Amino acid sequence: MGAHKRPSKLSRAGAASALTLAAVGATVLAPGGAAEAEASTVSTQALRIAASKQGSPYQWGATGPHRFDCSGLTLYSFKGAGKSLPRTAAQQYNSTRHIPRSARERGDLVFFVSGRGIYHVGIYNGDGRIWHAPKTGAVVRLERIWTSSVLYGRVG
């Protein structure tokens, strides 16, 4: 066949597998990247759990499974993904690895700041939107981040 060899079945399968992984959004592990990949998988799972609670009513102090406040939703979502978080938004901020806006990824926590305090938390969905339980009378929903006074945290 000379210089025009056909790819083997194995190399074609490898390319197909890579395309399949890309299509379904799977994480490809690089040597030494296991910790980040695990965190990413946990965050993605927590994000899915939060999204599955769309329409659940807000209730102050509620941690699920049918009613939530903001930090109750994040606590419930990450607990379902195998990670524990403290109860309040401020405590959750203090327990995460703080990251810059430029490094935020789907599944990271978004903390809303007023003065020197954290008053709200949601889970970043991408495109400037979060899943959150906003306030009394509202339901868990996907919403655009409405202020630049936010901080980001990654659950380890």
Side-chain angles (χ1 to χ4, degrees):
M1 284 175 134
H4 301 290
K5 290 185 180 177
R6 289 187 177 169
S8 70
K9 286 183 182 178
L10 181 58
S11 66
R12 282 189 304 230
S17 296
L19 289 173
T20 301
L21 286 172
V24 299
T27 303
V28 178
L29 295 180
E36 277 299 314
E38 179 186 339
S40 175
T41 302
V42 166
S43 296
T44 301
Q45 190 173 359
L47 179 61
R48 275 188 232 134
I49 292 168
S52 77
K53 295 301 176 178
Q54 180 176 10
S56 296
Y58 176 96
Q59 181 179 334
W60 187 83
T63 58
H66 304 293
R67 296 177 177 275
F68 301 91
D69 68 7
C70 67
S71 57
L73 178 65
T74 54
L75 180 147
Y76 179 88
S77 299
F78 275 91
K79 182 178 180 182
K83 292 288 181 178
S84 63
L85 285 175
R87 178 62 188 96
T88 69
Q91 292 168 335
Q92 289 177 6
Y93 177 73
N94 290 331
S95 75
T96 61
R97 181 166 55 94
H98 304 160
I99 56 172
R101 181 183 191 278
S102 61
R104 69 186 180 179
E105 296 177 357
R106 295 182 75 218
D108 286 337
L109 294 179
V110 181
F111 297 95
F112 293 74
V113 182
S114 178
R116 297 193 320 172
I118 304 283
Y119 71 91
H120 189 64
V121 63
I123 302 178
Y124 189 64
N125 189 72
D127 295 326
R129 298 181 304 163
I130 59 166
W131 282 102
H132 70 138
K135 60 186 177 185
T136 300
V139 296
V140 172
R141 64 186 181 216
L142 182 63
E143 188 167 18
R144 183 155 298 287
I145 297 171
W146 58 89
T147 177
S148 60
S149 297
V150 295
L151 299 169
Y152 296 89
R154 185 163 294 153
V155 177

